[in-house]
Amino acid sequence: MAILTLLDPVRKEIKNPADIKIFMNNRGIIFEQWHASMPLQDTDSQETILKAYEHELGPYMKKNGYVNADVINVHQDTPNVEAIRMKFLSEHTHAEDEVRFFVDGEGFFYFHLEDRMEVFKLLCEKGDFISVPKGFTHWFDLAPRYFVKAIRIFQTPEGWVANYTNSGKEQKYNL
Ligand SMILES: [Fe+2]
């Protein structure tokens, strides 16, 4: 179950999925809860994980022009987890929407909406589907569990890259 924590300017926790959805949708972020009940192993290949959820993501991809998908699979035997964590941990934007479907484990999306002067974080867990609009400043944290399986989908074959803001904003909030 997702948990939304407002960090600035007010501090508040929201656990009701319907309220989280309204909060995120009001800001242009798609948040939904899908079914994620396929049994997966840490050792499963990217292809196996993609295949297991093709029935969920395939129709969404076709309808919305997504052409490529990959998998983030981090678990206790993954080498260099801290280096992987650091890749996502600085505030950045993308030139296209960032879409993730969490099929196991967890991770925190942090959002910094400058026009609203808001910072909030969303704990994403198994079954959570999120689409962050292009240009939104955000970062992502694998800690403290360092255990996540999430499918990412892309509108271009090469996928997006992170454009770092170098604001240092994340340092106030990260673990
Ligand atoms: Fe991102």
Side-chain angles (χ1 to χ4, degrees):
M1 275 301 193
I3 299 174
L4 173 62
T5 309
L6 314 190
L7 299 166
D8 264 325
V10 292
R11 188 156 183 119
K12 186 182 174 189
E13 203 167 78
I14 300 174
K15 291 184 172 175
N16 183 307
D19 291 341
I20 294 174
K21 185 173 177 178
I22 290 167
F23 181 96
M24 301 302 268
N25 290 175
N26 281 345
R27 285 152 180 80
I29 300 163
I30 297 171
F31 172 74
E32 297 175 356
Q33 289 186 314
W34 289 13
H35 298 291
S37 55
M38 303 299 284
L40 296 173
Q41 309 296 322
D42 288 348
T43 51
D44 281 346
S45 68
Q46 173 163 290
E47 290 68 30
T48 300
I49 295 170
L50 290 175
K51 193 92 189 147
Y53 284 100
E54 200 175 357
H55 64 288
E56 292 267 18
L57 276 165
Y60 185 92
M61 290 178 72
K62 201 167 280 181
K63 187 176 169 204
N64 296 288
Y66 289 87
V67 296
N68 196 12
D70 72 7
V71 177
I72 295 170
N73 183 3
V74 176
H75 49 83
Q76 61 176 7
D77 296 324
T78 303
N80 304 318
V81 283
E82 200 57 39
I84 295 170
R85 178 188 180 215
M86 295 312 289
K87 274 203 308 188
F88 305 118
L89 198 59
S90 296
E91 185 180 77
H92 62 272
T93 63
H94 304 288
E96 68 171 84
D97 299 351
E98 175 170 352
V99 185
R100 286 193 196 190
F101 177 36
F102 289 81
V103 295
D104 206 356
E106 64 174 43
F108 289 94
F109 260 109
Y110 286 75
F111 297 91
H112 171 208
L113 305 191
E114 281 179 89
D115 51 341
R116 289 173 170 264
M117 295 169 62
E118 285 178 341
V119 179
F120 50 90
K121 68 174 175 180
L122 181 68
L123 168 65
C124 293
E125 297 183 297
K126 193 174 181 173
D128 293 333
F129 174 91
I130 188 166
S131 176
V132 181
K134 62 183 174 185
F136 269 45
T137 46
H138 66 279
W139 62 97
F140 182 79
D141 199 353
L142 286 168
R145 283 189 65 202
Y146 297 84
F147 173 59
V148 67
K149 291 181 184 59
I151 300 173
R152 310 188 299 178
I153 58 175
F154 306 96
Q155 286 167 323
T156 55
E158 60 275 13
W160 39 250
V161 294
N163 302 307
Y164 293 102
T165 66
N166 299 314
S167 71
K169 186 79 176 171
E170 68 283 350
Q171 289 165 20
K172 181 179 169 186
Y173 303 98
N174 289 343
L175 295 174

